Structure formats: C-alpha cells, structure tokens
Amino acid sequence: MEATSYRCPCCGASLTFGADSQEMHCASCDNTFPLESVEQASHLHVEDTTDAQMHWDMPTADSLSQQDASSLHAFRCSTCGAEILTEKEIAATECVYCGNPTILPGVLEGAYKPDGVIPFQKTKEEAQVAFKNHCKGKKLLPSGFYTDARLEKITGVYVPFWLFSCETESDMTFNATRTHVTREGQYMVTRTSHYLIHRGGHINFDQVPVDGSLKMDDTMMESIEPFDAHKIQDFQIAYLSGYQAQRHDVSAESCAPRVNARIRQSVQSVIRDTVAGYHTVTPAKTQVNLYNTKVKQILMPVWLLNTKWNDQMYTFAMNGQTGRFIGDLPTDKGKFWKWLLGLTFGLGIGGCVLLFVLMTMGVI
C-alpha cells in the first residue's frame, strides 16, 4: 500500500492545508490551490517503468508477534520510498526520513471514515504565540523550560470525536424546605415546612462532543471546548495534509456513559434553576429519556505539545478552531523558596515599621 502525499503542480514540493487560506499551500513556491483542484490532480497517475522484474531471494527476518503485527501498519512513502511503520490508528503523519507530510491509505475507511471534519483555523505560529503568552509573567517557571526548541515541537493533530444529538423528556423530584423563626415569649421558635416538588421538561441536545481517542485525556479535551459544530465540512482527506491524524480507538458505545452523564448533569442544572423561593432544595430522583438519537464521528483540530521536565510529562493543548489554550506549567522549587523567604522577610520588615509608627503615635 502506498501512502498519499499531495505534490505542488508547479514545483513538485509537498502541499499542506493552510488554516489561513483554507486551501492547499506550497511552502517552496508559496502557491495555493483549491482542494478540489488538488484532489483532481491526485487522481492522475503516471508511472515510470523500472527494473521491478529483477527479483532477489532475500533472507526473511523473524516475523512480528501476532499482537504486535495487529497493532502496526507499514506503508511506503511516495516521495522517498522509505517504509513507514505506524500504529494502526494513525491516519496522517510525516515521513521520518524526508519530512514530507504523508496521509496513510485505508486507515479512515469503512467504519472508521469520519462523517465530517472541522479544518484548522489557527496556525502553528498562533499556537506558539499562545504558548508564549501562557508562560509570560510566571515568576516561578523554570528558566530552561521556555525555549524555541520546545516551541517547534507543537504539533497539529486531528483528534477523533463522537458527536451525540438527541431529544430528552425529563422528570425530576426535589425535597425542599422553608424555615420561619418567630419569638414566642422568651423562646425563639423555628418552624420548618417540607415540600415535594415535581418538574418535567423537553430539552434538545445538539452534537455533544466526546473524544474517541485513548491517547487523549478526556478532561483536557473537554477543557478546550467548545468547537463550533456548525462549521463542520464534508470529509476530504486533503484536509489532513501537513497534520497528524488518527482514527478512533474508543467506540461510540464506550463513550455513551460519559455523554449520558453530561446530558444528565445539564438536565438537572436547567430544571433545578426553575425551583426558587425555598431555603433548601435537594434533588431526590431524576429520570431522563432519550429520543431521536444520532451519533456522528468528526475529526477536530487540536494543537498539542507533550514535553518532559525533570522526568515529568507536561501536556498543553489548544483548540485549533477557537484558540482556547490550556496546560499546567512546572514550578521551580528553588525560585519558590526564594520567593517565600522574600515574602516572609518583607512582611516582617513591614510589621516592624508599622509597630514603630504606632508606638511613635502613642497608640501602643
């Protein structure tokens, strides 16, 4: 199987999808081309005749174990001819030998073919600026953490998401109380009235996202939401050129409990807001029924940086559509103790000055 690599019709260099222009871009000659034109050109195959008829009997190496073989795929780079060995979920990457962006065939087909894709709107340069701003002003950040080499490791990845849409019919009961305090003679009497409250409603949920990748932290992916699902485009494999991509390795069925919990929590929050005028309100029972359910798989754009500091892994992520950036930064313990000692010393000096002023004024 030969991997797909889109070539510039003008100079023959590799093409990548440009987040700014929303077209295929050649970094060598700076030309841009519409997706449709590149797709049409990619179907024109002209092959040179070679000495492929000359066969050599080579010694065979030990084969991979069945488990390893089932988890790895081998493809041939269409530019330099090198063999690319990847995990079976990887759909787009770059050749480690020539550096050209490569889309691997057959990975996003059949049950793994996405229903759509949200193209990258934010460039790598914008992701690098966001990382700089994230580090800016952090006095306790280790001096060697922020480097240009680390910035270059920021990678654009299309992450597989499942989008769940449904209608809900919900019923909830609450235990509520109202408390009144009155004086009767020399006593303060507290009277508490108890209420059983019933609420119901019809709520629609449109395209609730849950990431379908084991490699991605679910909490982190939820933290860079929302994505604007109304800007989903029909899936074209050219969108993947110049980025990494993977197919889902978590099924929609496995994601259902997570999306159910999100829907249930949202229903409880909305209906709870309709109960007012009580001193205490406690949910008792919640029933949520789903109707007209739909599930789609979409590739979402994410800029990622996985980096180590003192043998600890730190992950940063940016929404490739909106620019929302998150990630925890390391702390320099030496700087922390210097800051704490300086703060303690400063507070001590300030306290002494204040005490001297008060004594001078005769307050103490």
Side-chain angles (χ1 to χ4, degrees):
M1 302 177 68
E2 184 172 298
T4 303
S5 181
Y6 290 93
R7 317 298 299 178
C8 176
C10 298
C11 67
S14 296
L15 295 176
T16 60
F17 177 75
D20 287 334
S21 64
Q22 297 293 294
E23 295 184 336
M24 302 298 286
H25 175 253
C26 176
S28 178
C29 63
D30 204 34
N31 281 309
T32 58
F33 307 91
L35 292 177
E36 293 76 10
S37 301
V38 175
E39 284 286 351
Q40 293 174 2
S42 68
H43 293 298
L44 300 176
H45 298 290
V46 178
E47 297 181 357
D48 293 328
T49 55
T50 65
D51 54 356
Q53 293 80 10
M54 300 177 66
H55 299 284
W56 296 82
D57 293 327
M58 297 293 181
T60 58
D62 293 334
S63 60
L64 293 171
S65 68
Q66 184 174 359
Q67 180 179 357
D68 291 336
S70 63
S71 63
L72 296 175
H73 280 178
F75 303 94
R76 190 168 300 281
C77 175
S78 60
T79 301
C80 68
E83 188 173 61
I84 306 170
L85 191 64
T86 71
E87 295 178 331
K88 64 180 181 180
E89 293 85 7
I90 301 301
T93 182
E94 66 178 26
C95 178
V96 296
Y97 299 99
C98 65
N100 282 302
T102 303
I103 298 171
L104 306 181
V107 179
L108 295 177
E109 294 182 356
Y112 294 99
K113 183 179 180 181
D115 297 303
V117 59
I118 295 182
F120 273 87
Q121 302 291 323
K122 301 297 181 180
T123 64
K124 182 173 182 176
E125 290 73 20
E126 290 176 300
Q128 291 172 333
V129 170
F131 181 73
K132 291 179 182 178
N133 293 334
H134 190 67
C135 296
K136 188 179 298 182
K138 305 299 190 298
K139 303 297 184 183
L140 303 182
L141 186 69
S143 300
F145 183 76
Y146 174 75
T147 62
D148 291 339
R150 205 178 300 275
L151 280 176
E152 284 301 316
K153 294 181 180 179
I154 294 178
T155 304
V157 181
Y158 279 105
V159 178
F161 273 76
W162 295 103
L163 298 187
F164 295 78
S165 301
C166 69
E167 300 178 36
T168 65
E169 289 288 347
S170 308
D171 286 282
M172 290 189 66
T173 57
F174 302 88
N175 294 320
T177 62
R178 287 191 183 125
T179 302
H180 301 276
V181 180
T182 58
R183 177 180 291 277
E184 296 183 7
Q186 60 179 345
Y187 298 101
M188 298 298 295
V189 178
T190 301
R191 290 184 174 87
T192 301
S193 301
H194 295 265
Y195 301 87
L196 178 63
I197 301 171
H198 174 254
R199 290 285 191 274
H202 182 96
I203 304 176
N204 293 345
F205 290 86
D206 184 29
Q207 304 186 108
V208 180
V210 178
D211 79 89
S213 171
L214 286 173
K215 298 179 178 64
M216 300 298 169
D217 181 81
D218 294 334
T219 302
M220 174 167 282
M221 292 298 100
E222 289 180 4
S223 298
I224 63 172
E225 293 177 13
F227 291 91
D228 187 355
H230 294 96
K231 295 184 178 179
I232 293 175
Q233 303 295 321
D234 293 335
F235 177 71
Q236 296 185 53
I237 201 168
Y239 282 121
L240 310 186
S241 184
Y243 302 94
Q244 293 190 15
Q246 68 173 104
R247 70 185 187 187
H248 72 265
D249 51 9
V250 181
S251 65
E253 291 80 5
S254 300
C255 293
R258 189 172 183 86
V259 75
N260 288 345
R262 297 185 69 177
I263 289 176
R264 187 178 296 106
Q265 183 178 4
S266 298
V267 167
Q268 290 175 339
S269 177
V270 170
I271 295 182
R272 169 62 181 84
D273 289 342
T274 68
V275 182
Y278 300 91
H279 293 133
T280 65
V281 178
T282 305
K285 294 183 179 180
T286 302
Q287 183 181 29
V288 180
N289 296 318
L290 307 183
Y291 301 93
N292 297 327
T293 59
K294 298 178 182 178
V295 182
K296 297 190 298 183
Q297 53 174 317
I298 304 295
L299 294 180
M300 304 288 204
V302 179
W303 287 103
L304 282 176
L305 172 61
N306 290 304
T307 186
K308 276 190 175 182
W309 182 261
N310 290 340
D311 296 326
Q312 183 174 348
M313 181 65 71
Y314 292 88
T315 301
F316 303 88
M318 189 181 92
N319 187 315
Q321 182 189 36
T322 66
R324 179 175 173 80
F325 191 97
I326 64 166
D328 295 328
L329 292 168
T331 299
D332 189 317
K333 294 182 178 180
K335 289 184 178 181
F336 171 76
W337 286 113
K338 289 180 181 178
W339 173 83
L340 184 61
L341 289 173
L343 179 63
T344 303
F345 180 76
L347 291 175
I349 294 297
C352 291
V353 172
L354 179 61
L355 181 61
F356 175 76
V357 171
L358 292 176
M359 290 177 64
T360 303
M361 297 174 62
V363 177
I364 56 174

